[in-house]
Amino acid sequence: MTSSLSRPSPSMAPLVEENLLTLAQLRSMVADLTPEGYRQAFGEHGRHTLGKHVRHIIDHYDALLDALDREAEVIDYEQRRRDEALEQWPQQAASHLAGIEARLLSLGSGTSPDALSLGYPMDDDTLTLVSSLNRELAFLTSHSIHHMAIIALLAEQMGIHLPESFGVHPSTLRHWHQASAEQASLSRWTA
């Protein structure tokens, strides 16, 4: 990883918090699933399961956190573990998610690299893009929420009730909260 100096990053704290809230919501849902429900196949070709989407989310966090631990030159989300046990066994996935949360918490208390490099494959070549830990944390929140929205659709087909906020981006939740507060304020003035 490209880094001449490391320094504390106070702006990273809200991004870590968004990721922690997202992962806690996912972990809670996963911990309540049976292995059969977690593996239930959906779609014409049976490629979609709750477990595969959860494992995919985990893989991305592991790719970033492992690269940081190794002080790797480049983060490569394409070179993921793809541990099939994490898509087969919900309790194992929930435990792994808790471990990721602990690792993220330690990011908030330490120092962060000034700059990161991201490998992005393009045909026969790989572009090396300049990034930052803050940017990657923002990406992971959005990426996770995207897959959680798909998970919510699959869970709904299984009759699993999830909170309205499951799979909704924090920025959308903030917008809903603001709109609700504005509506309440208007109601007071018009009543």
Side-chain angles (χ1 to χ4, degrees):
M1 240 166 283
T2 310
S3 176
S4 54
L5 297 172
S6 291
R7 64 186 187 291
S9 178
S11 65
M12 184 173 43
L15 292 168
V16 168
E17 184 64 23
E18 277 193 354
N19 279 276
L20 290 171
L21 292 171
T22 299
L23 291 175
Q25 192 178 47
L26 181 62
R27 180 175 39 82
S28 176
M29 188 270 312
V30 169
D32 291 338
L33 293 172
T34 64
E36 295 76 27
Y38 192 62
R39 296 180 202 136
Q40 184 175 334
F42 292 90
E44 182 178 346
H45 303 288
R47 291 187 203 143
H48 299 280
T49 70
L50 299 175
K52 286 181 181 183
H53 284 280
V54 171
R55 191 258 318 138
H56 181 78
I57 291 168
I58 288 171
D59 283 349
H60 277 73
Y61 279 97
D62 282 345
L64 174 65
L65 294 169
D66 291 350
L68 292 172
D69 288 348
R70 291 188 324 271
E71 297 183 11
E73 289 294 320
V74 177
I75 298 164
D76 186 351
Y77 292 115
E78 298 300 313
Q79 300 301 314
R80 300 186 303 274
R81 289 183 194 162
R82 295 176 171 89
D83 182 350
E84 289 186 16
L86 295 173
E87 66 186 53
Q88 299 292 321
W89 303 102
Q91 298 308 317
Q92 190 170 341
S95 177
H96 198 96
L97 286 164
I100 290 170
E101 290 172 60
R103 292 171 75 187
L104 285 171
L105 272 172
S106 70
L107 284 180
S109 63
T111 58
S112 65
D114 287 336
L116 301 176
S117 295
L118 175 68
Y120 189 81
M122 297 284 297
D123 298 322
D124 295 332
D125 196 16
T126 299
L127 297 176
T128 301
L129 307 172
V130 175
S131 190
S132 68
L133 184 51
N134 284 346
R135 168 63 186 94
E136 295 310 312
L137 289 170
F139 160 72
L140 286 174
T141 296
S142 292
H143 176 262
S144 298
I145 291 294
H146 165 77
H147 282 278
M148 288 170 63
I150 296 168
I151 288 168
L153 289 171
L154 298 178
E156 186 177 294
Q157 291 180 39
M158 296 170 63
I160 296 172
H161 176 73
L162 295 172
E164 182 182 13
S165 61
F166 188 92
V168 178
H169 197 277
S171 64
T172 302
L173 294 175
R174 287 188 292 269
H175 172 74
W176 287 355
H177 180 72
Q178 180 182 357
S180 177
E182 289 172 1
Q183 183 63 36
S185 179
L186 282 173
S187 295
R188 277 186 256 143
W189 288 105
T190 58

